[in-house]
Amino acid sequence: GGTILKLANVASMKSHGVEFTLSTHNIKTKDFNWNTDFIFSNAQNTVTDLQQNSNIMDLISGTGFAKQGYPVRGLFSIPFKGLDEYGIPLIENEKGEITSTSINFQERDNTDFLIYEGPTDPTITGSLGNIFTYKGFRLNIFMTYSFGNVVRLNPVFSAQYSDLSAMTREFKNRWTLPGDENVTNIPAIISARMYNENTDYKYAYNAYNYSDVRVAKGDFIRMKEISLYYDFPKSLASRMKLSNLSLKLQATNLFLIYADKKLNGQDPEFFNTGGVAAPVPKQFTLTLRL
């Protein structure tokens, strides 16, 4: 039709999964009850046909991209090959060469050298809730979990920084002296003179940000909610001319029970393109119902 690019539905995929809920009454007496609700969901997908070649930048971005034979949002990485004697990152490029600065991020045809990390969407999700009741008290402990996905860490490394740059704690372990390349994979902060002599170093640091060492597991187990409820006796409520009186203390988004240590405290559930976003804050609610 005379145009270079056309929009079209050019892909096919297959997906499958299973989901189930298990509810149990563990203990049931006159005054004490313990109920458990467990939810498990597993879903996976694969691109079976794709009439388009994604470029390297698409495949290594934080959101992932489609490639035939892989999940819809699979994440790929540039192979990291260590640091040189000056602390500059070394990577493998599309030609199979070990280099610092020679890589074509727009390459579409030769992307097989990239390392497949996994899907950016969780494959396993669910929750576990326990409710304990004793006379007028009710305690609810609710946890959520997610497994099977990967997260691209923040692209915080650069060949140039200013006095306004904010550094993550990883910079404490960076290359500072010759020989450090044998004990760390955090690159050096190069001098302005060194950068001005070779401005292509910006490609080395950009490739490092999207290498396989800058990927963490997105798995987590979260203490989502703890609440304590008390229903006052009817006799006490009636003395106050009330039909019902109850008090509830609720805490949500309390903390992560488990997450990948490579995240350095960042929350894997809340992430943006190319990094992790600010998490939902803790919330505490006191409710008096009468």
Side-chain angles (χ1 to χ4, degrees):
T3 60
I4 297 174
L5 296 176
K6 287 186 177 182
L7 298 178
N9 186 353
V10 293
S12 299
M13 62 173 284
K14 64 178 181 180
S15 61
H16 62 278
V18 61
E19 180 176 334
F20 70 84
T21 301
L22 178 66
S23 298
T24 62
H25 297 280
N26 306 315
I27 297 176
K28 190 171 184 179
T29 66
K30 179 182 178 182
D31 294 326
F32 180 75
N33 289 299
W34 173 22
N35 298 332
T36 298
D37 290 302
F38 176 69
I39 298 176
F40 175 88
S41 176
N42 173 245
Q44 301 184 35
N45 62 72
T46 304
V47 177
T48 57
D49 182 37
L50 180 62
Q51 303 300 318
Q52 180 211 7
N53 290 333
S54 306
N55 64 31
I56 290 176
M57 201 64 217
D58 289 333
L59 295 171
I60 63 178
S61 67
T63 55
F65 214 82
K67 187 175 182 180
Q68 188 167 316
Y70 296 92
V72 172
R73 278 174 288 276
L75 184 66
F76 295 79
S77 289
I78 297 170
F80 175 70
K81 296 301 180 180
L83 304 175
D84 67 12
E85 65 271 25
Y86 302 106
I88 307 299
L90 296 170
I91 54 95
E92 180 183 340
N93 66 10
E94 71 280 3
K95 300 175 183 177
E97 302 168 338
I98 307 302
T99 178
S100 289
T101 58
S102 178
I103 183 170
N104 179 16
F105 289 100
Q106 302 306 316
E107 173 68 30
R108 291 182 180 273
D109 296 325
N110 185 12
T111 60
D112 291 338
F113 75 102
L114 296 175
I115 297 172
Y116 175 63
E117 303 286 1
T120 58
D121 296 319
T123 57
I124 296 175
T125 57
S127 63
L128 175 65
N130 285 282
I131 298 177
F132 306 90
T133 59
Y134 177 71
K135 295 185 177 180
F137 290 95
R138 184 171 73 228
L139 175 65
N140 179 26
I141 301 175
F142 182 68
M143 295 177 289
T144 58
Y145 63 87
S146 176
F147 294 94
N149 66 310
V150 292
V151 174
R152 171 71 65 200
L153 298 177
N154 282 326
V156 295
F157 294 91
S158 173
Q160 283 185 305
Y161 303 99
S162 74
D163 291 339
L164 300 178
S165 299
M167 309 295 191
T168 69
R169 69 179 68 176
E170 294 163 292
F171 279 78
K172 294 194 302 181
N173 299 321
R174 71 184 185 277
W175 185 101
T176 55
L177 294 170
D180 285 351
E181 63 271 14
N182 298 318
V183 295
T184 184
N185 58 20
I186 308 298
I189 298 177
I190 63 175
S191 66
R193 174 184 291 182
M194 192 172 179
Y195 176 76
N196 290 332
E197 289 176 352
N198 187 359
T199 57
D200 284 347
Y201 280 139
K202 61 187 176 184
Y203 299 115
Y205 282 82
N206 196 33
Y208 176 80
N209 283 324
Y210 296 100
S211 69
D212 53 303
V213 295
R214 298 297 298 163
V215 173
K217 293 180 180 180
D219 305 347
F220 69 86
I221 303 174
R222 180 185 303 281
M223 181 59 70
K224 187 69 174 178
E225 178 184 326
I226 298 178
S227 64
L228 181 62
Y229 174 90
Y230 181 63
D231 192 11
F232 288 88
K234 299 291 184 182
S235 57
L236 178 61
S238 62
R239 275 186 245 158
M240 303 172 65
K241 307 298 184 182
L242 300 172
S243 58
N244 291 286
L245 178 62
S246 63
L247 188 67
K248 182 180 181 181
L249 177 62
Q250 182 179 21
T252 57
N253 299 311
L254 282 176
F255 54 86
L256 284 167
I257 299 172
Y258 166 77
D260 192 344
K261 292 182 179 179
K262 287 183 69 175
L263 290 167
N264 278 321
Q266 294 173 309
D267 197 318
E269 189 175 6
F270 307 99
F271 61 90
N272 289 327
T273 300
V276 181
V280 174
K282 298 180 180 67
Q283 293 181 332
F284 299 92
T285 308
L286 179 65
T287 304
L288 176 64
R289 183 174 288 112
L290 53 88

